[in-house]
Amino acid sequence: KTIIGYVNVKNPKPHPEMGNKTLDIHNVSNLNAQLIGDSHKDIMAATKAGVDSVLVNWGFSNHEKDAIETVAELEKRIQAKFK
Protein backbone atom coordinates (compact mmCIF):
# COMPACT_ATOMS: atom_id res chain seq x y z
CA LYS A 1 0.00 0.00 0.00
CA THR A 2 1.28 3.45 -0.90
CA ILE A 3 -0.16 6.85 -0.17
CA ILE A 4 1.36 9.83 -1.94
CA GLY A 5 -0.16 13.27 -1.54
CA TYR A 6 0.76 16.73 -2.72
CA VAL A 7 3.07 17.14 0.29
CA ASN A 8 5.21 14.24 -0.99
CA VAL A 9 6.02 15.74 -4.38
CA LYS A 10 7.41 18.96 -5.76
CA ASN A 11 4.84 19.19 -8.56
CA PRO A 12 1.14 18.51 -7.80
CA LYS A 13 -1.38 17.18 -10.30
CA PRO A 14 -1.88 17.59 -13.20
CA HIS A 15 1.91 17.06 -13.27
CA PRO A 16 2.66 13.30 -13.53
CA GLU A 17 5.11 13.25 -10.60
CA MET A 18 2.73 11.53 -8.13
CA GLY A 19 1.94 8.76 -10.58
CA ASN A 20 5.56 8.31 -11.64
CA LYS A 21 6.69 8.17 -8.02
CA THR A 22 4.12 5.47 -7.25
CA LEU A 23 5.17 3.45 -10.30
CA ASP A 24 8.84 3.75 -9.30
CA ILE A 25 8.20 2.69 -5.69
CA HIS A 26 6.46 -0.48 -6.88
CA ASN A 27 8.69 -1.03 -9.93
CA VAL A 28 5.66 -1.13 -12.24
CA SER A 29 5.61 -0.07 -15.88
CA ASN A 30 3.15 2.65 -16.83
CA LEU A 31 1.73 0.15 -19.33
CA ASN A 32 0.79 -2.18 -16.45
CA ALA A 33 -1.00 0.43 -14.36
CA GLN A 34 -4.33 2.16 -14.28
CA LEU A 35 -5.20 5.36 -12.42
CA ILE A 36 -8.69 5.71 -10.99
CA GLY A 37 -9.49 9.38 -10.51
CA ASP A 38 -12.36 11.61 -9.50
CA SER A 39 -11.11 14.77 -11.20
CA HIS A 40 -9.93 15.86 -14.60
CA LYS A 41 -6.56 16.74 -13.02
CA ASP A 42 -6.18 13.05 -12.15
CA ILE A 43 -6.86 12.05 -15.75
CA MET A 44 -4.47 14.69 -17.09
CA ALA A 45 -1.72 13.49 -14.73
CA ALA A 46 -2.27 9.89 -15.82
CA THR A 47 -2.12 10.83 -19.49
CA LYS A 48 1.13 12.74 -18.97
CA ALA A 49 2.58 9.68 -17.20
CA GLY A 50 1.44 7.37 -20.01
CA VAL A 51 -0.93 5.54 -17.67
CA ASP A 52 -4.41 4.35 -18.61
CA SER A 53 -7.07 6.11 -16.53
CA VAL A 54 -10.70 5.88 -15.50
CA LEU A 55 -12.76 8.86 -14.36
CA VAL A 56 -15.28 8.03 -11.63
CA ASN A 57 -18.33 10.01 -10.64
CA TRP A 58 -17.85 9.95 -6.89
CA GLY A 59 -15.41 11.51 -4.47
CA PHE A 60 -14.82 15.24 -4.80
CA SER A 61 -16.49 15.71 -8.17
CA ASN A 62 -19.79 15.28 -9.95
CA HIS A 63 -19.22 14.82 -13.68
CA GLU A 64 -22.07 15.03 -16.13
CA LYS A 65 -20.60 12.58 -18.66
CA ASP A 66 -17.61 10.35 -19.42
CA ALA A 67 -17.40 9.07 -15.85
CA ILE A 68 -17.98 5.66 -14.33
CA GLU A 69 -21.09 5.72 -12.13
CA THR A 70 -20.80 2.47 -10.14
CA VAL A 71 -18.22 0.21 -8.59
CA ALA A 72 -19.50 -2.62 -10.81
CA GLU A 73 -18.70 -0.54 -13.93
CA LEU A 74 -15.27 0.24 -12.50
CA GLU A 75 -14.56 -3.44 -11.88
CA LYS A 76 -15.42 -4.22 -15.50
CA ARG A 77 -13.04 -1.50 -16.76
CA ILE A 78 -10.21 -2.75 -14.53
CA GLN A 79 -10.75 -6.37 -15.59
CA ALA A 80 -10.85 -5.38 -19.28
CA LYS A 81 -7.51 -3.56 -18.93
CA PHE A 82 -5.70 -6.51 -17.40
CA LYS A 83 -7.22 -9.43 -19.34
Side-chain angles (χ1 to χ4, degrees):
K1 197 188 282 192
T2 301
I3 298 173
I4 297 177
Y6 73 92
V7 297
N8 305 109
V9 294
K10 181 178 177 183
N11 303 295
K13 295 178 284 185
H15 193 280
E17 186 178 357
M18 281 183 182
N20 289 333
K21 189 171 187 174
T22 303
L23 294 171
D24 290 345
I25 288 170
H26 294 282
N27 195 30
V28 173
S29 163
N30 61 341
L31 300 176
N32 293 321
Q34 192 171 46
L35 186 143
I36 312 304
D38 66 349
S39 78
H40 290 287
K41 283 186 179 181
D42 294 329
I43 304 310
M44 290 167 48
T47 300
K48 290 177 180 180
V51 173
D52 183 45
S53 62
V54 177
L55 181 64
V56 298
N57 208 17
W58 59 80
F60 294 108
S61 302
N62 185 15
H63 307 285
E64 292 186 20
K65 61 178 184 170
D66 300 326
I68 298 293
E69 294 287 339
T70 67
V71 173
E73 287 179 85
L74 178 59
E75 288 174 342
K76 287 178 186 175
R77 285 285 295 272
I78 292 169
Q79 291 170 353
K81 164 72 178 174
F82 297 106
K83 258 190 167 177

